[in-house]
Amino acid sequence: MNDHATTPAASLPRYSRIAGTGGYLPANRVTNAQLAERLAAGGIETSDDWITERTGIRSRYFAGDDELCSDLAVAAARRAIESAGGDGAAIDLIIVATSTPDMVFPSTACIVQNKLGLAGCPAFDVQAVCSGFVYALTVADSMIRTGAASRALVIGSEVFSRLLDFNDRTTCVLFGDGAGAVVLEASDEPGILASELHADGRHVGVLFTPGRVSGGLLCGDATLKMDGQAVFKLAVTVLEDVARAVLLKAGRTEADIDWLIPHQANIRIMQSTARKLKLPMDKVIVTVADHGNTSAASIPLALDVAVRSGQVVRGDTLMLEGVGGGFTWGAVLLDY
Ligand code: UT7
């Protein structure tokens, strides 16, 4: 069992910082052409050109039938722990951001904890759809700065392929599966500089999966529904506003951002956000072309790709931004 004694105020860390990153993608990479062929078999017409032009997506990864959200999460977590120095035993908090959990309950975080052999520390899920990782990171940062934890595993993991209606070409071409993770640890040096979280439940109906469990059975339609244009318009507005709010809070400006790492939903949303923040696209980490939209996994996956490719290096200032169903949105500014 971990010792969760209260930390005296005088010794509270000023910051939490990312000690390591990890990512995992299932083996099955599905290109636009392959997906178009699959849909054509069901009488649904789409094309590589349409998907690429409207979204920037060229491929996505689909988990195998026997692969669960927790399996993807564990693979990403192991890589994050390894890149943070390998000391998994010191993890004293596990948060999994997901909307595609293994079960109704217990949380996927508890299942991940068991698979990693880390029994004892608190473990719970955060459900904020595509903003989930930004929400989870902010919760972990708050818990570290109040002394409730000192080394957190924060994971975004999704198997959105399970929610897709392959008769609805307006949504099924957009999403994929994957997981990303970070180890976030207490630090006297930055670290996370500022964050902002928001939600507006008036927009529940623009992006949702209405099915529910009742009497032990699945009731209603458990496939993803989206008003794409409404989501697009909301996203480009809130992503600009929340980035500015976080910069103001941290006493920084757009010019201080080395890398923008936005939720990977659509290249056009990213281009619009970058334009509004006066950032050139070569300061934006883009993985949507290869990964598609992996919801809560997209930001930590993009971060991990950028770290491992050498784009993001220690000392860089990163703006992470999430937006999604709820409607939810948020941003985290940090020195990596
Ligand atoms: O994680 C957050 C969740 N999601 C998002 O961020 C998504 C936000 N929205 C979007 O990215 C875009 O709105 C979409 C990519 C979903 C759609 O792009 P759009 O440029 O807004 O297209 P549209 O909905 O205006 O559709 C244009 C046309 C329509 O045909 P008509 O009515 O002009 O004849 C659609 O039926 O494209 C058609 N269409 C397709 N055609 C081929 C829609 N989906 C497809 C498809 N293949 N897959």
Side-chain angles (χ1 to χ4, degrees), residues 270-285:
M270 291 186 246
Q271 286 163 340
S272 165
T273 306
R275 205 163 38 241
K276 289 176 173 192
L277 296 175
K278 299 191 171 54
L279 292 173
M281 277 308 283
D282 59 12
K283 285 192 164 196
V284 184
I285 301 296

Side-chain angles (χ1 to χ4, degrees), residues 39 44-47 50-51 54-55 129-131 160 168-175 207 224 226-233 235 263-269 293 295 323-325 327:
L39 297 192
I44 307 291
E45 195 185 322
T46 188
S47 65
W50 190 95
I51 303 169
R54 301 287 178 131
T55 71
V129 202
C130 304
S131 310
F160 254 59
D168 177 7
R169 67 177 183 174
T170 68
T171 54
C172 74
V173 301
L174 305 175
F175 296 89
L207 179 49
L224 183 148
M226 181 170 72
D227 177 345
Q229 290 192 0
V231 171
F232 196 104
K233 282 181 200 146
H263 171 46
Q264 308 283 315
N266 185 322
I267 189 70
R268 292 187 291 138
I269 296 177
N293 181 346
S295 191
V323 61
F327 208 70

Side-chain angles (χ1 to χ4, degrees), residues 310-321:
Q311 284 171 291
V312 165
V313 296
R314 286 286 171 200
D316 280 354
T317 299
L318 314 181
M319 173 71 81
L320 314 186
E321 287 199 279

Side-chain angles (χ1 to χ4, degrees), residues 10-11 52 66 138 160 168 181 217 257 289 292 334:
S11 63
T52 306
D66 56 346
T138 301
F160 254 59
D168 177 7
L217 296 172
I257 298 173
L334 63 95

Side-chain angles (χ1 to χ4, degrees), residues 103-105 210-220 222:
M103 306 181 190
V104 173
F105 71 81
R212 65 189 186 286
V213 174
S214 178
L217 296 172
L218 182 64
C219 297

Side-chain angles (χ1 to χ4, degrees), residues 70-245:
S70 63
D71 295 322
L72 275 56
V74 163
R78 287 210 167 102
R79 288 174 185 168
I81 290 169
E82 193 188 313
S83 95
D87 189 6
I91 297 293
D92 58 7
L93 171 66
I94 300 172
I95 308 180
V96 175
T98 188
S99 302
T100 48
D102 287 13
M103 306 181 190
V104 173
F105 71 81
S107 68
T108 301
C110 286
I111 299 167
V112 166
Q113 184 197 50
N114 184 41
K115 287 181 177 174
L116 290 173
L118 297 174
C121 68
F124 58 92
D125 289 359
V126 162
Q127 213 275 40
V129 202
C130 304
S131 310
F133 184 75
V134 166
Y135 266 65
L137 195 62
T138 301
V139 171
D141 173 55
S142 306
M143 288 181 71
I144 287 173
R145 286 187 297 104
T146 57
S150 57
R151 206 156 199 254
L153 188 53
V154 186
I155 307 168
S157 184
E158 302 281 16
V159 282
F160 254 59
S161 61
R162 309 260 155 84
L163 302 180
L164 298 178
D165 175 357
F166 287 97
N167 291 310
D168 177 7
R169 67 177 183 174
T170 68
T171 54
C172 74
V173 301
L174 305 175
F175 296 89
D177 304 334
V182 302
V183 172
L184 193 72
E185 66 180 15
S187 169
D188 290 326
E189 308 290 327
I192 291 181
L193 301 164
S195 61
E196 283 257 340
L197 301 178
H198 295 276
D200 186 344
R202 288 175 299 176
H203 302 296
V204 163
V206 299
L207 179 49
F208 64 115
T209 295
R212 65 189 186 286
V213 174
S214 178
L217 296 172
L218 182 64
C219 297
D221 188 344
T223 60
L224 183 148
K225 316 286 171 207
M226 181 170 72
D227 177 345
Q229 290 192 0
V231 171
F232 196 104
K233 282 181 200 146
L234 282 165
V236 293
T237 304
V238 300
L239 288 173
E240 180 191 7
D241 292 350
V242 78
R244 292 199 191 287

